[in-house]
Amino acid sequence: MSTDAPVKPDVKKSDVEFGSYKYGFHDSMDNYAFKSRKGLDPQIVRQISEMKGEPEWMTNFRLDSLAIFESRPMPNWGGDMSDLDFQDIFYYMKAANEQETSWDDVPEDIRRTYDRLGIPEAEKKYLSGVKAQYDSEVVYGSLQEDLSKQGVIFTDTDSALRDYPDLFREYFATIIPPGDNKFAALNSAVWSGGSFIYIPKGVKIEFPLQAYFRINSQNMGQFERTLIIVDEGASVHYVEGCTAPTYSSNSLHSAVVEIVVKRGARCRYTTIQNWSSNVYNLVTKRAMAYGDSLMEWIDGNLGSKLTMKYPAIWLMEPGARGETLSIAFAGPGQHQDAGAKMVHCAPNTSSRIISKSISRGGGRSSYRGLVKIHKDAKNCRSNVVCDALILDPASRSDTYPYIEVEEQDVAIEHEASVSKIGEEQLFYLMSRGLTEAEASAMIVTGFIEPLVKELPMEYAVEMNRLIELQMEGSVG
Amino acid sequence: MNSVLKISDLHVSVGETPILNGVNMEIRQGEVHALMGPNGSGKSTLAYALAGHPNYTVTEGRIEIDGVNVTEMEADERARLGMFLAFQYPVVIPGVKVADFLRHAVSNVRNPERKEGEGLIGMREFRKEIRERMTALDMDHEFARRYLNDGFSGGEKKRMEILQLAMLQPRFAILDETDSGLDSDAVRVVSEGLAKLAGPQMGVLIITHHERLLEFNPPQFTHVMLGGRIVEIGDAALAHDLHANGYATVRARHPDAEAENAKVEAAAV
Ligand SMILES: Nc1ncnc2c1ncn2[C@@H]1O[C@H](COP(=O)(O)OP(=O)(O)OP(=O)(O)O)[C@@H](O)[C@H]1O
Ligand SMILES: [Mg+2]
């Protein structure tokens, strides 16, 4: 299925060659503005920091993080990472010298990629702002003028360090410190790009802000770092999409996303990730939700070789609510180890986790979740529902729900179900003229429908289309 | 030309258990046939085998439509050739809206050459048609937006089967106890509906234990099944007689088949 042969992006053939993964093409870009050598050591970390012209505190932060990364063992749970070689990865690649504000100024090869992904078109139709990251750096950025006039900041994280140093330092790495886990430490050492968002008090943004992450190079590591601060009573919907070319060697995507949702604010973070099946996707995402606020993670995990991702919400003050809706699709050779964490630190907080996973063609999906209720966090409620659908006997699904409760006065519900795609359902639909592939795709679409209908129209359509692509060629 | 559905010496097993032991039947477009027989005699098995259920294995004999052997065809191919089964127990498909499902089905059946991923029939014409059909069957239009059979009452499910029949306009329709579980108003709606739909373009096989459906759709032929075989054939009068007097005389006239029926029934327990 995968190949190293360069395929020109304008050649339609790649769509056929890569089977159902439609984003497997890559640009034959040789003119990188800067490319670090392969591997990871303090010298590389220093070089990245120097390239970016960072203040000393950040250089030191990176070096300290590298030491933490090196001192930590690989996790012995989750997925198989035995063929992930940290020295066989490029940690920093800069494709273009400048970040542009007009698509016309983005270098042609790169622009063509985003055209094929439909980003400029989506921007015109229904987005408030866009960031496009290509390998290590953001190459395009826009934000509607009226929003910037209201004080909204939507920039890349590198620029934020330069342009808003105080705001940056107040929050950066406070939600997820480098010592949180091995991959958070790795990201902290080599981070580059990502989105920085600040929504001022009371500002409600109607249309989503979107970031698009594209890995282009072989053996590339992408380590974006996103920080979102939603001030009191404000609201925002942020969407990220991710794709990569299909290569026979491994790529690594290890992001850190930190979010602060202040009193009475709302934040919805939607991910529609569709990595090619050579990408290790090891991501740490955490939000802190304050009084009467609402934080929602909507997480669509398609593709990748191994995804380990458990978006967390810490409910810090009374009235805070957290919700995670996640969909995982594990196809051939893929392992989705995904889930959610809800940490109730205050009384009268509530959380809900809905997780749906689909495994087919030998794919494996695991739900791994934690609900933790701290002492004195009285009158909390938490509701967890996870459903798995297994399409064939070669595929697999596991559930690892952890519940830690230090308080009596709480209500926790947990339901889990695993179903095999029903023969009777297939026959019923086929007896109405649907092919086996169409019938299974329809059953799968129906299975995730309760989640998909939570998405804005455009993303719901995108999600269904991606699932259909995954289901193509699934039978016969 | 009138199409013919021809069933010759059909033997069907479920797993290792033989259920049908040589069924013969010929249904032409425009004809109405009744299939009767005691519980467990094999009526639903015949219906499933005709529709192409993968667990119902044809071990001998064949099924043909206009001379084309469909015995080995998948259910969807048969549907595109004009076969339709209204299920005795319609299946729930969570999360799939009736309208989405039916638009897809209609697109495939009306355009049998359609490839996966090709365009569906126009939204506007489809919507107009499904609304008209629902009105004719006295169904709330809201059903088009509901998930297929999910949370439907027994009667609503049966009506949904007839709606599908109306939309797909098959050449051969098999109705497996579509009149069971309906209140008397609903039986009338469904019976009248079928009578309107059937006409000269449809061959109908009605499996039933009741009489109302047959009153509105009088059969030219009545087949009686016992022990996985058709043991008697008659006209509408035979159906009427069986309703009035039960199967005792049929059983007595066919002791071999009766023994077979008892055997399969015992094995099922
Ligand atoms: N999938 C199956 N697995 C096991 N046995 C089956 C299966 N399908 C049918 N049978 C058996 O085959 C016999 C015939 O069943 P079938 O459902 O065809 O009867 P029927 O004539 O439709 O009865 P009813 O009037 O009760 O609907 C029964 O003994 C039944 O238990
Ligand atoms: Mg039956």
Side-chain angles (χ1 to χ4, degrees):
Chain A
M1 289 294 279
S2 56
T3 168
D4 287 325
V7 179
K8 287 263 156 51
D10 49 342
V11 179
K12 207 63 190 125
K13 185 163 142 255
S14 59
D15 292 355
V16 181
E17 264 180 22
F18 296 125
S20 60
Y21 188 68
K22 292 278 195 287
Y23 308 103
F25 64 89
H26 71 270
D27 310 331
S28 39
M29 274 264 309
D30 294 321
N31 41 341
Y32 273 81
F34 179 79
K35 198 168 166 175
S36 71
R37 69 177 154 77
K38 254 188 198 174
L40 183 61
D41 52 41
Q43 198 194 1
I44 296 260
V45 169
R46 259 197 209 94
Q47 195 180 29
I48 292 172
S49 192
E50 231 163 76
M51 278 293 304
K52 291 173 177 292
E54 289 177 342
E56 201 186 335
W57 76 265
M58 183 55 80
T59 314
N60 292 334
F61 171 87
R62 288 177 180 277
L63 289 167
D64 293 346
S65 301
L66 178 64
I68 298 173
F69 168 73
E70 283 171 342
S71 70
R72 292 285 172 90
M74 287 293 272
N76 58 2
W77 49 274
D80 175 14
M81 287 179 271
S82 53
D83 77 337
L84 174 57
D85 178 355
F86 289 106
Q87 296 306 332
D88 194 32
I89 299 256
F90 290 104
Y91 284 82
Y92 183 70
M93 279 185 155
K94 184 173 183 171
N97 267 317
E98 297 293 329
Q99 183 186 144
E100 304 297 346
T101 53
S102 155
W103 283 109
D104 292 336
D105 298 332
V106 173
E108 171 131 13
D109 310 14
I110 300 177
R111 196 184 67 224
R112 212 165 32 211
T113 295
Y114 289 102
D115 278 339
R116 288 187 70 176
L117 298 167
I119 307 303
E121 208 186 310
E123 178 181 6
K124 273 183 234 146
K125 280 196 276 188
Y126 56 84
L127 297 171
S128 291
V130 171
K131 290 279 168 252
Q133 178 159 348
Y134 192 87
D135 288 340
S136 299
E137 295 284 355
V138 173
V139 295
Y140 171 81
S142 76
L143 177 65
Q144 277 176 7
E145 211 181 305
D146 59 313
L147 293 177
S148 54
K149 279 197 187 125
Q150 290 177 69
V152 172
I153 300 170
F154 180 30
T155 184
D156 64 280
T157 309
D158 294 281
S159 302
L161 171 59
R162 225 174 15 248
D163 302 340
Y164 309 96
D166 297 336
L167 189 60
F168 184 100
R169 224 176 154 169
E170 187 181 343
Y171 294 101
F172 180 82
T174 58
I175 318 285
I176 303 172
D180 189 82
N181 68 74
K182 187 173 175 76
F183 295 100
L186 175 64
N187 175 283
S188 300
V190 296
W191 73 269
S192 182
S195 302
F196 180 91
I197 296 174
Y198 173 75
I199 315 290
K201 276 184 191 167
V203 174
K204 295 183 163 64
I205 301 190
E206 187 182 357
F207 296 104
L209 301 176
Q210 167 135 20
Y212 206 93
F213 296 95
R214 173 74 179 172
I215 292 180
N216 184 61
S217 305
Q218 201 167 352
N219 296 93
M220 174 64 204
Q222 191 173 53
F223 305 96
E224 87 271 11
R225 177 114 196 170
T226 288
L227 177 53
I228 300 176
I229 302 142
V230 193
D231 216 329
E232 291 177 13
S235 88
V236 67
H237 182 190
Y238 174 81
V239 183
E240 64 174 359
C242 329
T243 62
T246 305
Y247 291 116
S248 56
S249 55
N250 296 325
S251 299
L252 172 59
H253 176 253
S254 189
V256 164
V257 176
E258 301 177 281
I259 300 181
V260 182
V261 194
K262 296 211 175 165
R263 172 168 289 280
R266 297 178 72 134
C267 178
R268 173 178 271 204
Y269 190 113
T270 298
T271 302
I272 298 183
Q273 146 203 319
N274 186 23
W275 295 115
S276 53
S277 48
N278 52 298
V279 175
Y280 278 95
N281 182 46
L282 311 165
V283 171
T284 309
K285 292 182 165 173
R286 186 175 304 155
M288 298 235 175
Y290 291 88
D292 301 314
S293 67
L294 173 63
M295 173 67 211
E296 298 168 285
W297 297 107
I298 297 179
D299 209 25
N301 295 310
L302 286 87
S304 84
K305 182 175 203 162
L306 168 66
T307 287
M308 287 170 69
K309 178 164 39 151
Y310 324 97
I313 304 175
W314 290 46
L315 302 155
M316 304 300 289
E317 290 177 356
R321 284 182 297 152
E323 266 197 31
T324 301
L325 308 180
S326 87
I327 300 172
F329 192 115
Q334 299 177 344
H335 183 183
Q336 304 283 2
D337 197 275
K341 283 186 206 169
M342 295 290 178
V343 183
H344 293 254
C345 304
N348 298 313
T349 50
S350 65
S351 65
R352 186 162 78 120
I353 299 171
I354 301 179
S355 154
K356 298 232 173 198
S357 73
I358 300 146
S359 317
R360 84 158 183 90
R364 177 173 176 199
S365 61
S366 318
Y367 167 80
R368 196 179 296 276
L370 170 69
V371 174
K372 179 164 179 143
I373 302 200
H374 280 281
K375 181 122 194 66
D376 297 330
K378 289 187 196 305
N379 195 28
C380 290
R381 344 185 113 257
S382 178
N383 176 254
V384 181
V385 180
C386 46
D387 299 325
L389 183 65
I390 301 176
L391 299 195
D392 48 59
S395 303
R396 170 172 170 190
S397 167
D398 307 282
T399 308
Y400 308 97
Y402 300 96
I403 299 176
E404 294 172 18
V405 182
E406 295 167 358
E407 174 57 53
Q408 295 293 307
D409 180 19
V410 295
I412 297 184
E413 295 160 354
H414 179 94
E415 299 162 39
S417 80
V418 178
S419 37
K420 300 206 165 53
I421 201 158
E423 253 176 5
E424 297 307 317
Q425 292 181 332
L426 272 181
F427 171 61
Y428 186 67
L429 295 180
M430 287 175 73
S431 78
R432 295 335 187 206
L434 304 191
T435 64
E436 187 173 351
E438 289 169 333
S440 356
M442 195 167 270
I443 293 166
V444 167
T445 311
F447 175 73
I448 58 166
E449 149 81 13
L451 285 197
V452 169
K453 76 173 186 219
E454 299 279 329
L455 296 175
M457 228 314 247
E458 289 79 8
Y459 299 101
V461 170
E462 170 75 359
M463 196 69 198
N464 279 331
R465 204 175 57 85
L466 291 175
I467 296 276
E468 269 163 33
L469 288 175
Q470 293 283 325
M471 291 296 296
E472 257 175 35
S474 63
V475 286
Chain B
M1 190 197 81
N2 267 359
S3 288
V4 189
L5 170 63
K6 190 170 175 208
I7 303 157
S8 322
D9 190 31
L10 196 69
H11 290 65
V12 173
S13 294
V14 178
E16 296 295 297
T17 319
I19 313 271
L20 298 187
N21 307 301
V23 171
N24 294 289
M25 201 181 282
E26 227 176 277
I27 303 175
R28 277 159 214 288
Q29 266 180 311
E31 292 176 354
V32 175
H33 293 239
L35 176 59
M36 301 181 65
N39 294 138
S41 57
K43 304 180 297 294
S44 293
T45 301
L46 176 64
Y48 280 139
L50 291 176
H53 194 300
N55 291 353
Y56 291 72
T57 318
V58 174
T59 52
E60 252 183 271
R62 56 204 271 146
I63 306 162
E64 290 160 303
I65 295 178
D66 294 337
V68 177
N69 185 358
V70 306
T71 320
E72 299 298 321
M73 281 186 189
E74 298 275 2
D76 60 314
E77 293 176 83
R78 300 186 199 199
R80 277 173 275 161
L81 281 177
M83 189 89 88
F84 180 90
L85 168 62
F87 282 55
Q88 183 172 3
Y89 304 108
V91 180
V92 177
I93 315 281
V96 173
K97 293 203 181 84
V98 168
D100 294 340
F101 150 70
L102 257 180
R103 185 165 168 228
H104 213 119
V106 164
S107 302
N108 279 9
V109 168
R110 291 197 193 159
N111 175 13
E113 305 304 313
R114 179 179 176 273
K115 302 269 181 303
E116 276 171 36
E118 274 178 21
L120 299 174
I121 87 161
M123 186 54 132
R124 202 169 308 156
E125 62 177 296
F126 171 77
R127 223 181 254 162
K128 183 165 173 282
E129 185 179 341
I130 195 172
R131 287 215 184 112
E132 284 168 7
R133 301 281 187 196
M134 291 176 103
T135 306
L137 289 167
D138 203 11
M139 290 175 83
D140 190 336
H141 292 184
E142 197 45 43
F143 275 95
R145 274 192 284 265
R146 284 183 59 179
Y147 299 147
L148 185 54
N149 294 326
D150 200 357
F152 286 25
S153 76
E156 288 165 349
K157 284 183 185 166
K158 296 300 176 74
R159 236 182 261 209
M160 183 53 65
E161 295 294 290
I162 298 300
L163 175 68
Q164 294 176 36
L165 181 141
M167 293 298 292
L168 295 172
Q169 297 166 337
R171 283 192 285 175
F172 299 101
I174 305 146
L175 283 78
D176 193 358
E177 299 201 24
T178 301
D179 49 359
S180 314
L182 294 178
D183 65 39
S184 53
D185 292 353
V187 174
R188 191 178 41 77
V189 171
V190 163
S191 306
E192 284 176 356
L194 178 65
K196 269 188 225 139
L197 291 166
Q201 297 308 313
M202 203 183 285
V204 185
L205 179 64
I206 297 175
I207 301 173
T208 182
H209 295 294
H210 308 280
E211 221 168 353
R212 285 289 289 285
L213 195 49
L214 297 179
E215 270 170 28
F216 283 89
N217 300 273
Q220 286 94 354
F221 304 93
T222 299
H223 309 257
V224 183
M225 188 174 264
L226 188 66
R229 255 174 295 174
I230 305 292
V231 292
E232 295 200 0
I233 301 179
D235 54 16
L238 175 59
H240 184 72
D241 177 59
L242 290 171
H243 279 126
N245 304 316
Y247 293 100
T249 52
V250 174
R251 289 181 200 269
R253 280 200 292 270
H254 305 279
D256 295 358
E258 167 57 13
E260 193 63 41
N261 208 63
K263 208 168 79 191
V264 174
E265 249 173 322
V269 181

